[in-house]
Amino acid sequence: GTRLFTSLVASYASQEDALKRFIQAYLASVASVDEQVGKILDAVDNSPLKDNTIIILTSDHGWGMGEKDYLYKNSLWQESTRVPLIVRAPGIAKQGGVAEQHVSLIDLYPTLIDYCGLPTKQEIDGTSLLPLLSNVKADWSPATVTIAGEGNASVCSESWRYIRYSDGTEELYDLRSDPQEWSNLVTTMTKEAT
């Protein structure tokens, strides 16, 4: 990510111009996908399947867009660990509802099992999202875990993100006061201790 950022910036007259061009291309790609998703939704909405079809839209994780001089995937910061997740579940989800709680893609399978009323013969990982689909303000406290490469991981709750890299380096962010993860509290605490 750092090498890609450096290479991109070196290819343009300024960092601002480099990031502007990159982000413009990225947003064009997103707009193109959005248009195709719209076509699929129109087809479902204009068919007899509209009221009994669950639609789940998600994708791969995002890219850092030059924040922290990083331009790529596979970081453990929010820009790269978050994925879009939109669920249209007739009879359960309210149109336009937005849940702010952290969830994980591992929750999709138990959600579908629960939604369809299917029996499970064994323990499954994840937690059904039906409570959030029916009430976006529902009590919800699971943390999400992200692994990027061997030995690199982050744990994120509603209020905190903790990252530990394979070399032992750590980062800690208070998401309530620092949602963009600019102030690594581990670095701050280390400086204060010395």
Side-chain angles (χ1 to χ4, degrees):
T2 305
R3 280 184 286 154
L4 185 56
F5 176 84
T6 303
S7 175
L8 177 74
V9 170
S11 301
Y12 288 89
S14 70
Q15 178 175 319
E16 181 181 345
D17 191 35
L19 291 175
K20 185 184 210 179
R21 301 285 181 174
F22 180 83
I23 292 169
Q24 181 181 25
Y26 186 88
L27 293 176
S29 297
V30 171
S32 175
V33 169
D34 187 53
E35 185 176 337
Q36 301 312 311
V37 169
K39 290 178 182 178
I40 293 169
L41 292 175
D42 287 345
V44 171
D45 287 346
N46 293 314
S47 78
L49 303 174
K50 177 183 179 184
D51 295 326
N52 69 351
T53 301
I54 302 165
I55 298 175
I56 298 174
L57 173 68
T58 189
S59 80
D60 195 11
H61 49 86
W63 279 54
M65 295 289 165
E67 306 89 352
K68 302 178 186 179
D69 297 342
Y70 194 90
L71 187 71
Y72 192 60
K73 302 178 173 202
N74 297 332
S75 80
L76 291 167
W77 302 307
Q78 177 169 283
E79 294 84 9
S80 188
T81 60
R82 290 186 67 186
V83 299
L85 178 60
I86 300 171
V87 179
R88 185 169 90 175
I92 300 289
K94 294 180 177 116
Q95 185 172 351
V98 177
E100 299 292 336
Q101 298 88 333
H102 289 260
V103 299
S104 184
L105 294 181
I106 200 169
D107 299 329
L108 292 179
Y109 180 68
T111 301
L112 292 171
I113 293 292
D114 194 13
Y115 182 86
C116 296
L118 299 173
T120 55
K121 295 180 181 176
Q122 61 196 33
E123 280 290 315
I124 55 176
D125 292 330
T127 304
S128 173
L129 300 175
L130 279 190
L132 288 179
L133 291 174
S134 60
N135 176 10
V136 296
K137 302 285 188 206
D139 239 0
W140 192 260
S141 60
T144 56
V145 176
T146 303
I147 298 171
E150 195 171 320
N152 303 309
S154 76
V155 178
C156 187
S157 70
E158 187 176 330
S159 304
W160 298 93
R161 177 181 304 276
Y162 171 73
I163 300 171
R164 182 172 173 91
Y165 298 98
S166 59
D167 66 1
T169 306
E170 297 173 296
E171 297 177 18
L172 177 65
Y173 300 99
D174 182 345
L175 301 177
R176 296 163 297 190
S177 62
D178 181 22
Q180 300 303 314
E181 301 170 354
W182 288 109
S183 179
N184 178 1
L185 297 176
V186 170
T187 303
T188 304
M189 290 186 290
T190 303
K191 287 179 183 175
E192 289 175 359
T194 55

